[in-house]
Amino acid sequence: MENQKHNYDIFNLNYAAAIEVDPAVLAADEGEYDPSEYATSTETMPESIHEYLYENGRRYHTYFGVDKNCMPTDEMEQDRLDMHHEILLHLLDGRLHLAPIEEPHRILDIGTGTGIWAIDMADQYSTAEVIGTDLSPIQPAWTPPNCRFEIDDAEKEWTFKDNTFDFIHGRNLTQSINDWPTLMSQFYRCTKPGGWAEIAEIEGSVWSDDNTMGPAFKYWTELLNKALVIKGYQHVSRESLAKRLEDAGFVDVKVYAFKQPYGPWAKNKKEKRLGGEMLLIAGPSLESYGLALFTRVLGIDAEEATRLCRETWKEIINKKHHVYNNFYVAYGRKPEDSEVERTADAYL
Ligand SMILES: C[S@@+](CC[C@H](N)C(=O)[O-])C[C@H]1O[C@@H](n2cnc3c(N)ncnc32)[C@H](O)[C@@H]1O
């Protein structure tokens, strides 16, 4: 009753009342709940941008369809994305991008997540307008004045006009995009002639140069790649990223590879620091990438999928295991109209 003196109770009049226990629960005086029975369905929810599915202890955004995004969007995921952004910044020695952009006026970030890259870009290029788009409304309301967000499915026809961005960027979208050729054709259409596109991805495979990868991490990766193939997601490699850009028409394509260690086992100071930072997100990452794909796509029992993620996590924190994967950054330039005309002339 003490709390009723304060303003915050005005917003929740039931706060002081005790929650009545369901007689059916009282009657079944023992036993455990089966969390999987409490997965919600979007069909029962009002039609709104805030449609969620609660599954295996995580929250998934479902406004664009239950299986559109198999990664959670809850607070744990948002923290993970922000922390991973910091790690990737350290990996790239503080650079937000590698494409040689100069004085950009308009920048677009596809699948922006929490928008942290777009916000940092808006700070770095304060005279540019930065737009981030995503399926999920998980971006902050407080942003630099030159940064804004739009909720949109990047796999649908973009509403942006042709030749209007100096730089278009997409990072860590492996589990987001089915049709890369169509997406990249939209990147190309909306990039200004002379402008740049950059795509960056963590690969799905993990490696150990001294053969110390444990069985759980190996199995976790095998399952992940199996599910990615079934879902129709494209394999990430140095070559595939370059090809995405080249096939769309971008030129001067370059790809860079960086190692992302799991755990501070590396001797090198920078890699040791990166590996240590990865410990902060590796546990949640295993679940974010794996849980929904393992259970929904491969039909693995939720308990078993969670157990595999935990076993893999135990290997990662075990000093005997020295595992890493690669992060690729690829960029290309949209040719000037005169270059395209010259190439066409050569074929006449
Ligand atoms: C792994 S997160 C990466 C977020 C951000 N790019 C980063 O690097 O921090 C993938 C993001 O893509 C979004 N996404 C998935 N499918 C999408 C689609 N079809 N269109 C737009 N965004 C999508 C998800 O909602 C999620 O925020």
Side-chain angles (χ1 to χ4, degrees), residues 159-192:
T159 50
F160 301 116
K161 293 199 177 100
D162 297 359
N163 307 320
T164 43
F165 288 97
D166 301 276
F167 188 40
I168 305 187
H169 173 263
R171 185 177 68 182
N172 288 343
L173 302 178
T174 299
Q175 284 199 28
S176 308
I177 303 302
N178 277 99
D179 184 353
W180 276 99
T182 303
L183 185 84
M184 293 312 296
S185 71
Q186 306 213 62
F187 265 67
Y188 190 82
R189 177 177 69 73
C190 296
T191 303
K192 287 180 189 166

Side-chain angles (χ1 to χ4, degrees), residues 64 68 152-159 182-183 186 189:
F64 289 88
K68 187 72 192 159
D152 202 7
D153 179 354
E155 298 217 90
K156 300 252 167 72
E157 181 76 24
W158 297 0
T159 50
T182 303
L183 185 84
Q186 306 213 62
R189 177 177 69 73

Side-chain angles (χ1 to χ4, degrees), residues 68-69 71 73 77 80-81 85 88 109-114 116 133-136 138 152-155 170-173 175-177 289:
K68 187 72 192 159
N69 188 5
M71 297 186 74
T73 57
E77 177 66 358
R80 188 191 76 80
L81 289 175
H85 171 76
L88 295 177
D109 187 31
I110 293 299
T112 194
T114 60
I116 192 164
T133 70
D134 201 282
L135 288 180
S136 299
I138 55 170
D152 202 7
D153 179 354
E155 298 217 90
R171 185 177 68 182
N172 288 343
L173 302 178
Q175 284 199 28
S176 308
I177 303 302
Y289 283 98

Side-chain angles (χ1 to χ4, degrees), residues 104-109 117 121 125 128-131 165 167:
H105 296 292
R106 289 190 91 214
I107 299 169
L108 176 63
D109 187 31
W117 182 91
M121 283 295 278
Y125 297 101
E129 178 192 20
V130 184
I131 302 171
F165 288 97
F167 188 40

